[in-house]
Amino acid sequence: MTQASSGAATSQKGFLGWVERTGNKLPDPVFIFFYLIVVLVLISIVASLAGLSAPHPTKTIEGTDDPFIINAVSLLSSENIQRLWVDMPKTFTHFHPLGYVLVVMLGAGVAERTGLFGTAMRAAVRNAPKFLLTPMVALVAMVGNLAADAAYVVLIPLAGVLFAAAGRHPIAGIAAAFAGVSGGFSANLLPGQLDALLFGITEAAAESIVPTWDANIAGNWYFIFTMTLIFLPVIWFVTDKIIEPRMGGYVPQGPAGEMVKDGDKPLSQDQKKGLSHAGIAALLVCAVWVFFTVGPGTPLIDEAARPEARLSPFYKSLVAAFLVLFLAAGWAYGAAAGTVKGHRDIVRMMSEAMADLSYYLVLAFAAAHFVAMFAWSNLGLIFAVQGADAIQASGMPMPITLGMLVILTGVVNIFVGSASAKWALLAPVMIPMLMLLGISPEMTTATYRVGDSATNIITPLMVYFPLILTFCQRWQGNFGLGSLTATMLPYSAFLLVGGLVLVMLWVVLGLPLGPGAALHYTLPPQ
């Protein structure tokens, strides 16, 4: 433990040292939003006095064909001061991501605390053949993002044990799992908590230009599924051909050997029974949702809507679907495995899940007011219109524009680790700007996700970075911060390149992002 502490505290030099020192000087994201609000107020005053304006892209002056002019509004105007203080509860509670995240986490918290997520990940990778161990670890790690913190706490140290038991270097296993969980943060086979979080922010940004735009939590499903298929061979290649050969062989001895013996234990009969019951529960929930969609009355289909909008109720119901799915599967697992004794345990687990979100609630309060005040000032829409005009005038191809957004997000990610905080900063300008250029909010969100994922694994400011370092030091005491960053750099570079190519090809081919989520977007007539 002494070695772990000293390794983590070692000061880095060069670029990594600069990143570490600069990032450590940044305030907490909650206060970043507070400072940004102060700056925003000052900018709104200057913009209002300077008469900054832009033509609205869809509205016209009533009775004429002249465009409606959007003027910058000072946040210290009487109207906006009144809004700030009178509407404060509404501003917070109507922040779109808040409801989405709270609902999904009620179910996911139960699935995590009953042990379902951890046992499912162990079962998925434990018996993998030696030559398939890397891709199995990477795939389960990416899917494990549905389990949020559990993937970091359970799978990553387990990957080290499994690699060591297979006669491979344990740190290579930890690196592969870390690359999958965090580098493949947005890649997955199914939408989940992250989709609820990001699309809530996307909806708030899109509504600044099209008030009727509704988020679809499955709006990136096809994209993140393909992203998983792209990232899986990338992580496999980097682990087996670049990282592990540099590390050489490893023979676990002493305490490390004991970890292999303890960590490679087979699943108990109760755990196997729990997984079986959880699978049955999940299938039943899926069957219920299919029945609601195609059964009598089709409650999740709007038969009176336009053909492209008929499935809108189904898409909107997916947030609730994930709540029921996680809750049912977690409860079924816990009842069979013995981790749930009665309904009071379920209520306790749901309460603990809400307690875990206490910091997020504070962050959401600050982010909600920044996003709302940005909209009140009209600056977001003005910048979006002017930015769209500038891109059109430059003749820059759309794939290049989106590629630049990927790189911008990746750079910002080194300093601001929170996915929701970054997207709350970028979305109010990026979403409307690209909507004006014919790019859907779903495509812009997908592009952001690529940049957000790729550099997670190389910044010491990532909240789990010290924990991963500790996992590594259990196997190699002198493994320091620089060692971990250097190990993860090849993953970051290859994932970034793979993600960039994916985004550009997606635009060129014009593929849909998910069910009911097209690449292109046409502003509705007013």
Side-chain angles (χ1 to χ4, degrees), residues 7-227:
T10 301
S11 180
Q12 298 298 306
K13 297 180 180 179
F15 174 73
L16 292 177
W18 176 79
V19 170
E20 184 180 3
R21 290 189 301 272
T22 303
N24 287 338
K25 292 177 182 177
L26 289 175
D28 186 274
V30 173
F31 270 80
I32 288 178
F33 277 114
F34 173 75
Y35 297 140
L36 286 172
I37 287 173
V38 174
V39 173
L40 179 62
V41 169
L42 297 176
I43 293 175
S44 72
I45 294 171
V46 173
S48 177
L49 292 175
L52 186 66
S53 64
H56 196 284
T58 59
K59 283 186 180 180
T60 57
I61 298 174
E62 189 174 355
T64 73
D65 292 329
D66 298 329
F68 181 84
I69 301 300
I70 314 159
N71 295 300
V73 180
S74 169
L75 289 172
L76 290 186
S77 67
S78 298
E79 180 185 2
N80 280 332
I81 290 175
Q82 184 185 82
R83 271 182 177 178
L84 175 63
W85 302 121
V86 174
D87 291 348
M88 187 169 283
K90 179 181 175 182
T91 301
F92 179 38
T93 57
H94 285 211
F95 187 48
H96 292 293
L98 192 60
Y100 292 175
V101 172
L102 292 177
V103 169
V104 173
M105 279 302 296
L106 279 172
V110 171
E112 180 179 350
R113 283 164 176 77
T114 58
L116 170 60
F117 285 150
T119 303
M121 286 186 283
R122 282 186 63 204
V125 300
R126 189 182 164 276
N127 295 318
K130 185 176 178 180
F131 77 100
L132 288 179
L133 186 54
T134 302
M136 283 300 297
V137 164
L139 178 60
V140 174
M142 285 186 278
V143 175
N145 281 316
L146 292 172
D149 295 352
Y152 287 96
V153 177
V154 175
L155 181 62
I156 293 178
L158 177 62
V161 171
L162 293 173
F163 266 60
R168 303 179 60 180
H169 203 294
I171 293 181
I174 290 173
F178 187 29
V181 173
S182 196
F185 184 58
S186 282
N188 217 308
L189 301 180
L190 293 168
Q193 301 171 51
L194 182 62
D195 296 82
L197 174 68
L198 295 181
F199 273 105
I201 298 172
T202 298
E203 182 174 359
E207 285 179 345
S208 69
I209 188 170
V210 180
T212 57
W213 194 88
D214 290 321
N216 168 12
I217 193 176
N220 278 171
W221 191 351
Y222 303 158
F223 185 87
I224 62 175
F225 188 95
T226 307
M227 197 174 168

Side-chain angles (χ1 to χ4, degrees), residues 172-408:
I174 290 173
F178 187 29
V181 173
S182 196
F185 184 58
S186 282
N188 217 308
L189 301 180
L190 293 168
Q193 301 171 51
L194 182 62
D195 296 82
L197 174 68
L198 295 181
F199 273 105
I201 298 172
T202 298
E203 182 174 359
E207 285 179 345
S208 69
I209 188 170
V210 180
T212 57
W213 194 88
D214 290 321
N216 168 12
I217 193 176
N220 278 171
W221 191 351
Y222 303 158
F223 185 87
I224 62 175
F225 188 95
T226 307
M227 197 174 168
T228 305
L229 301 182
I230 298 295
F231 281 9
L232 181 60
V234 168
I235 296 173
W236 189 357
F237 171 80
V238 173
T239 302
D240 290 4
K241 301 300 182 183
I242 299 177
I243 300 303
E244 195 167 13
R246 290 180 63 249
M247 294 179 172
Y250 186 88
V251 179
Q253 297 176 347
E258 293 301 316
M259 275 198 291
V260 173
K261 293 178 184 178
D262 294 339
D264 199 35
K265 290 179 180 177
L267 298 180
S268 68
Q269 287 302 315
D270 284 343
Q271 289 173 326
K272 292 178 181 178
K273 183 180 178 182
L275 287 178
S276 174
H277 285 215
I280 294 172
L283 289 175
L284 288 175
V285 172
C286 292
V288 169
W289 243 255
V290 171
F291 178 77
F292 285 152
T293 305
V294 300
T298 59
L300 294 182
I301 295 181
D302 186 355
E303 301 286 359
R306 304 185 312 274
E308 64 272 17
R310 285 179 182 172
L311 283 173
S312 179
F314 171 77
Y315 298 142
K316 292 179 181 179
S317 77
L318 289 177
V319 174
F322 278 107
L323 161 65
V324 178
L325 178 67
F326 288 140
L327 181 59
W331 196 338
Y333 172 87
T339 55
V340 172
K341 305 300 182 184
H343 70 278
R344 287 183 174 81
D345 287 337
I346 297 298
V347 174
R348 173 181 55 80
M349 292 173 183
M350 296 173 81
S351 300
E352 290 172 353
M354 293 298 99
D356 287 347
L357 288 175
S358 56
Y359 173 77
Y360 172 73
L361 294 176
V362 178
L363 177 63
F365 179 82
H369 282 83
F370 172 79
V371 171
M373 294 173 74
F374 203 48
W376 299 343
S377 69
N378 286 338
L379 291 176
L381 193 50
I382 292 172
F383 292 158
V385 171
Q386 295 183 345
D389 289 344
I391 292 175
Q392 283 183 326
S394 71
M396 188 184 301
M398 190 51 59
I400 301 299
T401 301
L402 293 177
M404 291 175 64
L405 175 56
V406 170
I407 295 172
L408 170 64

Side-chain angles (χ1 to χ4, degrees), residues 451-464:
D452 179 53
S453 291
T455 53
N456 272 332
I457 50 179
I458 60 172
T459 170
L461 304 177
M462 192 264 181
V463 64
Y464 284 104

